[in-house]
Amino acid sequence: MEADAQQSLVEQFVLYLAAERGLSVNYQLSVRQSLEHLLRFLEERGVAIPAVEEGDLSAFLGEMGQRLAPSSLRVASVHVRIFFRFLFSRQLIGKDPAMFLDNVRMGRTIPETLPEGLVARLLESVPLDEAPFGARDRAILEMLYGSGLRVSELTNLRNEQVDEQEKFIRVTGKGGKTRFVPLGSSAMECLSVYRRKARGMLLGDRRSPYVFLNRRGGRLTRERIRQILKERAEQAGIVEHVFPHIMRHSFATHLLENGADLRVIQELLGHADLATTQVYTHVEQKRLIELHRRFHPRG
């Protein structure tokens, strides 16, 4: 489902609140704000509204819980529940994933990550010399992991945003904010190979400002990138669920584990608030606890 179609569902719901329920403008604005956050969250995970599961909503509320007071979080959870109840009652979705959301624990959710070895296995399983799709897919994976990009930032990446000489990319993130993200040697090499040898094969006699293209020379969608990651993980024999945002989580977590400063990670991820980045410290704490239990004689 395209972003416009998903936004249309929100508009239908807000109109329902105004016209049929007679709720105040302030309440409508509050609901819209909660659902806009939900749409952005689902976009990053590559999940369309009709495919939402309870686990997606639990993860969303967990992420919101990092920024909201408990009372505000409860309000947001109500907005989510009545939104999906409305969609289900109008037969706009096949099931109500929020039916049992009251029972979902709304505490801080630790991001899913992949171990460094598993990421390396995934990346190295994609043949860079296989043009055009091997080179393209390897560059996609390397940049998601090597630069911590959101999938929307990757799909919208234009050629003029890439500086191969200085080895950085200019990224336009949430809220139209621009940040500069360095390209590591591996990501730079794979991106360079893709642009020199494979992109033109996909482009043919067409023109496109976008870096990553589909087989018809058009811009890749978030959904297709999600499919590519799933397919490449299966080909590598990886049973873990691999999706674009887990590469971003792994990027941040592995930086922290290897000694990077939290504020540097915040800048690289494009987080407006350090509190959002601090969730990765919980991943590191969990790892340290596991190591202690495993290796300390009285762990």
Side-chain angles (χ1 to χ4, degrees):
M1 178 178 283
E2 292 298 323
D4 289 346
Q6 304 213 120
Q7 185 66 46
S8 175
L9 295 178
V10 172
E11 298 301 332
Q12 289 181 55
F13 179 57
V14 174
L15 182 61
Y16 158 78
L17 295 179
E20 298 187 33
R21 297 286 300 276
L23 295 173
S24 70
V25 172
N26 285 340
Y27 187 81
Q28 294 171 43
L29 290 173
S30 177
V31 169
R32 184 187 294 277
Q33 184 178 45
S34 296
L35 297 181
E36 293 288 351
H37 285 306
L38 175 64
L39 289 185
R40 286 195 291 270
F41 176 83
L42 294 176
E43 176 184 322
E44 295 300 335
R45 291 173 74 97
V47 178
I49 284 177
V52 168
E53 301 286 346
E54 183 181 300
D56 297 312
L57 299 181
S58 176
F60 167 68
L61 293 173
E63 182 173 292
M64 293 295 286
Q66 298 164 28
R67 304 193 294 270
L68 299 179
S71 59
S72 299
L73 183 61
R74 283 193 292 272
V75 169
S77 73
V78 169
H79 295 164
V80 169
R81 283 190 287 112
I82 60 177
F83 174 58
F84 281 98
R85 187 186 305 156
F86 165 80
L87 296 180
F88 181 65
S89 69
R90 298 297 172 94
Q91 299 184 328
L92 296 170
I93 56 175
K95 61 179 180 179
D96 180 0
M99 183 178 294
F100 302 108
L101 200 57
D102 276 339
N103 299 324
V104 174
R105 178 178 176 268
M106 293 186 292
R108 186 181 294 267
T109 300
I110 296 177
E112 295 177 76
T113 62
L114 298 172
E116 289 185 46
L118 204 59
V119 173
R121 177 177 155 192
L122 172 62
L123 298 177
E124 292 164 9
S125 71
V126 183
L128 184 59
D129 58 356
E130 179 190 275
F133 299 114
R136 182 198 65 183
D137 295 355
R138 178 69 176 271
I140 286 171
L141 286 164
E142 292 279 1
M143 291 189 68
L144 286 173
Y145 175 64
S147 297
L149 300 182
R150 300 178 176 96
V151 66
S152 58
E153 294 168 348
L154 189 78
T155 60
N156 291 319
L157 188 68
R158 292 170 172 259
N159 288 301
E160 67 267 20
Q161 293 174 251
V162 180
D163 188 328
E164 289 196 24
Q165 184 174 356
E166 298 296 330
K167 297 184 179 180
F168 72 82
I169 52 177
R170 188 179 74 253
V171 178
T172 302
K174 290 184 177 180
K177 294 181 179 178
T178 299
R179 69 185 190 278
F180 294 90
V181 181
L183 283 168
S185 57
S186 182
M188 187 68 258
E189 177 191 357
C190 294
L191 180 61
S192 180
V193 169
Y194 161 68
R195 296 178 82 193
R196 288 198 326 269
K197 299 182 178 179
R199 187 175 179 275
M201 298 171 66
L202 296 170
L203 195 59
D205 58 0
R206 295 170 290 266
R207 292 185 178 183
S208 175
Y210 297 104
V211 174
F212 291 106
L213 307 174
N214 60 31
R215 63 176 64 247
R216 295 178 298 279
R219 179 168 63 105
L220 278 173
T221 64
R222 298 184 301 273
E223 292 76 15
R224 180 58 189 138
I225 289 181
R226 185 180 180 87
Q227 290 171 358
I228 288 169
L229 265 65
K230 181 180 178 182
E231 291 165 3
R232 291 298 184 179
E234 289 174 352
Q235 291 168 10
I238 295 172
V239 298
E240 285 80 356
H241 180 38
V242 177
F243 52 95
H245 222 59
I246 203 172
M247 304 299 285
R248 177 171 161 89
H249 288 325
S250 300
F251 161 83
T253 302
H254 297 165
L255 279 173
L256 186 64
E257 289 177 350
N258 286 288
D261 182 83
L262 197 62
R263 289 197 177 274
V264 172
I265 299 173
Q266 176 193 4
E267 183 70 22
L268 292 173
L269 291 174
H271 286 162
D273 189 344
L274 184 63
T276 307
T277 316
Q278 285 174 331
V279 68
Y280 295 104
T281 64
H282 293 263
V283 179
E284 174 67 356
Q285 289 166 7
K286 182 180 177 183
R287 186 183 74 91
L288 292 175
I289 290 169
E290 290 172 350
L291 288 173
H292 180 270
R293 288 174 177 167
R294 181 176 175 185
F295 295 110
H296 194 277
R298 300 185 73 85

